[in-house]
Amino acid sequence: MKTYPLVSVGMPAYNRTETLVVAIECIINQTYKNLEIIISDNASASNEIEDIVKGYMKNDKRILYTKQKRNLGAERNFQYIINKASGKYFLMAADDDIRSLDFIEKNIVFLENNADYVASTSPSRFEHRNFDEHAMGDGSIECFDKYDRVNAFLNRWHANARFYSLVRREEMQRAYTVNNFLGGDWMVVLSLLMLGKYKRIESGEVILGNGGVSNNNIFSMYRKGFLGWIFPFYTLLSASFGLLKGAKISQKIKLIISLGKFNVIAFYWQIKKELYIKIKGL
C-alpha cells in the first residue's frame, strides 16, 4: 500500500477576510488529503480571521492556527510558518490565492517521481489576467548546471509565481531567509534553484490574488535613500552574486547584465508609479 507523504500548507493572513474563506476552501477541499494547514494571523486588528479559522477547525483537525501577538512583518511571518512546517513538502498559499483542487495531487506525483527537482507548480495567472509563463515567472527551469539555472531565472522581469510552488520542505527551510529588500522573494527561489530544478506541469492552475505587495507601490516599501532611487536592485545584485562564487566568469557577467536591465526597468517603473500617485492625489 502506497504511503502518501505529508504536505505542509502555509497560509499567512492579515486583515483580509473577504478572500480568506475561498483560499481556505480550495486547500481543505484538495483531492490530496494528507495535509497540515498552518495559518498565521499576523496580528490582525480584529478577531474576524480568528473566528473564521476556528469555525473550520471544529470540523478539520488538519488546521493549525496562530495569532501573532505583534505584527512580524510579512517576511518574518513567512519564516514562522516555514519553520513550523513538518511535512515532506511545503506550499505557501496566500490568503487571496485560488488553486485548482488537484494542484497538490498533480504536483506531488511529479516530485515523487523526479528527485532532481526541488519544486513543481501549475500554470499561474493573476486574477482577471491571462496565463503567460514568461510574465508570471512560473516556467520550467531544467538546466543541469545550477549557475545556469540562476541565470535562466533572471533572464527577464517577471512576477515570480514560482514562490508559490509545491517545494521540498527541507530545501525550503534551507533556502528561506528574511530578505527585507526589493526582490527578496526572488532571492528565495534563486537559493532553491541552487539545490535543484523547477517544473511547470501542464495540469492544474493557480490564480494569484491582486492584493499582494507586488501589485502596490513595492518600490517605496523597500527604497532606502538616494541609492534606492538610482539602483533599486543593488541589494539583490550583491546577494545573488554571492551565489555564483564558483561560477564561470561568463556566468557572472550574464548575471550582472541581467540585473542591470532589471535596474533600468525598476527605475522606470518606480518613477512612473510615484508620478501616478502624485497626480492621483492632486
Side-chain angles (χ1 to χ4, degrees), residues 9-50:
V9 180
M11 185 175 292
Y14 179 65
N15 283 347
R16 195 158 47 190
T17 57
E18 65 276 9
T19 59
L20 179 65
V21 170
V22 176
I24 292 175
E25 290 276 352
C26 85
I27 296 299
I28 64 175
N29 291 315
Q30 286 286 310
T31 56
Y32 192 89
K33 300 301 182 185
N34 191 16
L35 309 176
E36 66 172 4
I37 304 165
I38 305 165
I39 300 176
S40 178
D41 181 347
N42 203 9
S44 294
S46 73
N47 292 322
E48 289 183 78
I49 289 176
E50 183 174 1

Side-chain angles (χ1 to χ4, degrees), residues 158-171:
H158 56 76
N160 195 21
R162 293 186 190 92
F163 186 79
Y164 297 98
S165 302
L166 185 67
V167 186
R168 299 185 190 277
R169 188 263 306 169
E170 289 186 357
E171 281 80 351

